[in-house]
Amino acid sequence: YLAKLSEQAERYDEMANYMKVVAEAGSELGVEERNLLSVAYKNAVGSRRASWRIVSSVEQKEQSKGNADNAATASEYRAKVEGELNEICGTILKLLEGGLIPAAGGGESKVFYCKMAGDYYRYIAEFSQGGDKDKAAESAKKCYDDAMAVASADLPVTHPIRLGLALNFSVFHYEVLNNPEEACKMARQAFEDAIAELDNVSE
């Protein structure tokens, strides 16, 4: 109830903490609990990802103007946001890989959690540099690949979670791996497969 209340109040850091306790309880999450966990962490990270993009842009503008002091201040502030992002992503990835993914009973849950892990590794790759970026990108790709393998075996091509996975995996190819051809191919294939089966989908 507190998680739902904090969602209504748009206090997503607190919502994430409440759902962390639920996830750590050990029992498999229901669909509603799973979705609350996803909403909590997505919003907690989302606001900081937006902040990071703004601060990074300001830092680059200050550098281009030759304002070294302002650029240094912006760089320090960016590092602060990155620290918060690392902490939140690390927390949810620990929950996913340490309990939720191994305990997932059905294909839908497994795909949901593996996709989620891929997403948070992708977020880390967005702001990381050098070896850290490569490591996060490799982990994201493995999670997305694992999710795709289960989705292909267990979920219909029109399933919303499978479609969401294909979309996010294509975004990963485009933004992190700089591979727009593969990104477009993956998204188009998922779309065409789903359209072909549309007549067989219930209301």
Side-chain angles (χ1 to χ4, degrees):
Y1 182 77
L2 278 170
K4 292 180 186 176
L5 189 60
S6 50
E7 180 185 14
Q8 288 177 307
E10 297 185 5
R11 293 170 67 87
Y12 296 110
D13 287 359
E14 290 174 12
M15 184 185 180
N17 289 334
Y18 292 133
M19 289 314 301
K20 178 174 180 282
V21 173
V22 174
E24 287 174 335
S27 56
E28 188 171 359
L29 302 185
V31 173
E32 184 184 27
E33 292 170 325
R34 199 176 66 194
N35 289 335
L36 285 169
L37 179 78
S38 177
V39 167
Y41 279 91
K42 188 173 183 179
N43 281 284
V45 161
S47 60
R48 290 169 173 87
R49 287 173 72 209
S51 299
W52 182 85
R53 284 192 287 266
I54 292 166
V55 175
S56 295
S57 176
V58 170
E59 181 185 356
Q60 287 168 5
K61 284 176 185 172
E62 295 293 0
Q63 285 174 343
S64 67
K65 292 177 187 174
N67 297 335
D69 289 347
N70 287 354
T73 301
S75 177
E76 288 174 14
Y77 198 64
R78 174 175 53 78
K80 179 176 184 287
V81 177
E82 288 174 0
E84 292 176 9
L85 279 166
N86 256 322
E87 185 178 351
I88 297 168
C89 290
T91 299
I92 185 60
L93 285 167
K94 187 177 178 183
L95 285 174
L96 290 165
E97 296 175 329
L100 293 171
I101 292 174
E108 183 179 299
S109 293
K110 194 103 174 173
V111 174
F112 186 94
Y113 292 135
C114 287
K115 169 190 166 291
M116 204 169 161
D119 289 341
Y120 286 92
Y121 277 120
R122 170 164 60 91
Y123 301 154
I124 292 172
E126 282 177 351
F127 64 80
S128 299
Q129 303 291 327
D132 289 341
K133 184 183 184 75
D134 293 341
K135 187 178 174 184
E138 284 173 20
S139 297
K141 188 174 186 305
K142 183 184 183 305
C143 291
Y144 285 135
D145 281 335
D146 289 347
M148 285 295 258
V150 178
S152 298
D154 294 357
L155 301 183
V157 292
T158 52
H159 196 291
I161 294 175
R162 182 168 172 175
L163 288 169
L165 167 63
L167 176 64
N168 287 19
F169 201 177
S170 67
V171 169
F172 168 76
H173 275 284
Y174 189 88
E175 293 187 350
V176 177
L177 299 185
N178 295 314
N179 190 348
E181 284 185 19
E182 182 63 28
C184 292
K185 179 183 169 187
M186 183 175 287
R188 189 182 303 113
Q189 186 68 54
F191 177 74
E192 289 173 354
D193 289 348
I195 289 294
E197 288 293 319
L198 214 53
D199 290 343
N200 300 324
V201 179
S202 64
E203 289 298 325

